[in-house]
């Protein structure tokens, strides 16, 4: 059972446009929601993250919007650039005990920003 | 070296071979993880270690055997793998007093012939 649903699977945006990726989760035990960016041949890199007691977090051109009641969160990339072309994963985390955490990932969104 | 490193970066093995993947973290973290990333599935958590003790084993076949000799090193021992085990294997680490953030290595691209 997939616990984090991510859409769209792929996204094409023109340079300067806004990229929006959406995720929904089911398990209310999740308490930390990171987004990862992955370039070909690289591991996922933590991009931005949010806790459920906050409705929005902004870091530069990247913003997470979080709706706890709807169990949804989204990533907005403002002024999208060709260098933003990558695969983006949303994730949800919960404490798995002994100081470790279990991350459940969405399937990923391949973003292409065209000049 | 900084961050999380993994060796080898690429590995081709036959189904009867035995090989090991190595992960090393230089972040002073105390929890380490193995993930499998294949084309048609989300990133799958395989094993979790915290303070060198295995915390989680997500129903992974016994042909995958993890080892965590200390908080900086993590191994994944492979034997009698199947072609469907071909994937990118990612290692990650997280701080003990963190909030859930995990930092990933570049991965080992494994091909099983």
């Amino acid at each position: 059972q997939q616990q984090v649903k991510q859409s769209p699977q792929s996204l094409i945006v023109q340079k300067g446009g806004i990229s929006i990726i959406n995720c929904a989760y089911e398990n209310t035990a999740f308490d930390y929601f990171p987004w990862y960016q992955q370039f070909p041949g690289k591991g996922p890199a933590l991009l931005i993250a949010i806790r459920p007691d906050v409705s929005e977090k902004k870091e530069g051109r990247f913003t997470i919007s979080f709706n706890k009641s709807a169990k949804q969160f989204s990533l907005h990339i403002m002024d999208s650039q060709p260098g933003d072309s990558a695969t983006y994963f949303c994730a949800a985390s919960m404490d798995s005990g002994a100081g470790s955490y279990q991350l459940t990932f969405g399937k990923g969104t391949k973003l292409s920003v065209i000049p | 070296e900084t961050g999380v490193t993994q060796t080898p970066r690429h590995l081709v093995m036959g189904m009867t071979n035995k090989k090991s993947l190595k992960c090393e973290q230089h972040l002073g973290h105390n929890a380490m993880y193995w993930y499998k990333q294949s084309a048609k599935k989300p990133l799958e958590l395989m094993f979790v270690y915290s303070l060198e003790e295995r915390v989680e084993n997500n129903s992974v076949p016994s042909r995958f055997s993890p080892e965590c000799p200390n908080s900086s090193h993590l191994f994944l021992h492979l034997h009698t793998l199947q072609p469907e085990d071909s994937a990118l294997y990612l290692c990650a680490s997280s701080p003990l007093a963190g909030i859930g953030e995990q930092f990933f290595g570049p991965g080992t691209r494994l091909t099983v012939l």
Side-chain angles (χ1 to χ4, degrees), chain A residues 32 36 38 41 43 98 101-102, chain B residues 9 33 37 50 56 98 102 105:
Chain A
Y32 175 76
Y36 285 83
Q38 187 176 26
Y101 299 87
Q102 178 165 326
Chain B
R9 294 294 310 278
Y33 310 78
Q37 186 175 34
S50 180
E56 189 120 3
Q102 293 182 20

Side-chain angles (χ1 to χ4, degrees), chain B residues 6-110:
Chain B
Q6 291 186 243
T7 54
R9 294 294 310 278
H10 301 271
L11 178 62
V12 179
M13 59 187 288
M15 289 192 286
T16 58
N17 291 159
K18 290 184 180 182
K19 296 286 184 183
S20 295
L21 310 185
K22 179 183 176 182
C23 174
E24 185 172 0
Q25 61 94 3
H26 309 268
L27 299 168
H29 293 166
N30 297 98
M32 297 186 76
Y33 310 78
W34 279 117
Y35 287 86
K36 176 183 179 182
Q37 186 175 34
S38 46
K40 302 206 184 276
K41 292 184 178 180
L43 275 142
E44 300 172 78
L45 179 64
M46 300 176 72
F47 300 104
V48 181
Y49 276 83
S50 180
L51 298 172
E52 299 136 49
E53 296 291 325
R54 189 187 303 183
V55 175
E56 189 120 3
N57 172 0
N58 280 4
S59 303
V60 178
S62 59
R63 57 185 183 269
F64 295 92
S65 175
E67 178 190 1
C68 187
N70 56 61
S71 60
S72 298
H73 294 86
L74 185 65
F75 294 89
L76 188 63
H77 304 298
L78 316 170
H79 65 97
T80 59
L81 294 192
Q82 304 298 310
E84 60 263 29
D85 296 322
S86 299
L88 181 68
Y89 289 84
L90 291 158
C91 173
S93 69
S94 66
L96 198 61
I99 54 173
E101 68 275 39
Q102 293 182 20
F103 298 88
F104 285 81
T108 294
R109 173 66 63 185
L110 173 67

Side-chain angles (χ1 to χ4, degrees), chain A residues 21-59:
Chain A
I21 305 171
N22 300 299
C23 284
Y25 63 98
E26 299 166 5
N27 193 338
T28 55
F30 292 133
D31 60 3
Y32 175 76
F33 300 87
W35 285 88
Y36 285 83
Q37 179 188 56
Q38 187 176 26
F39 293 104
K42 305 285 188 181
L46 181 61
L47 186 63
I48 186 173
I50 197 167
R51 299 296 296 269
D53 53 348
V54 176
S55 61
E56 186 175 281
K57 183 174 181 180
K58 183 175 180 179
E59 290 183 1

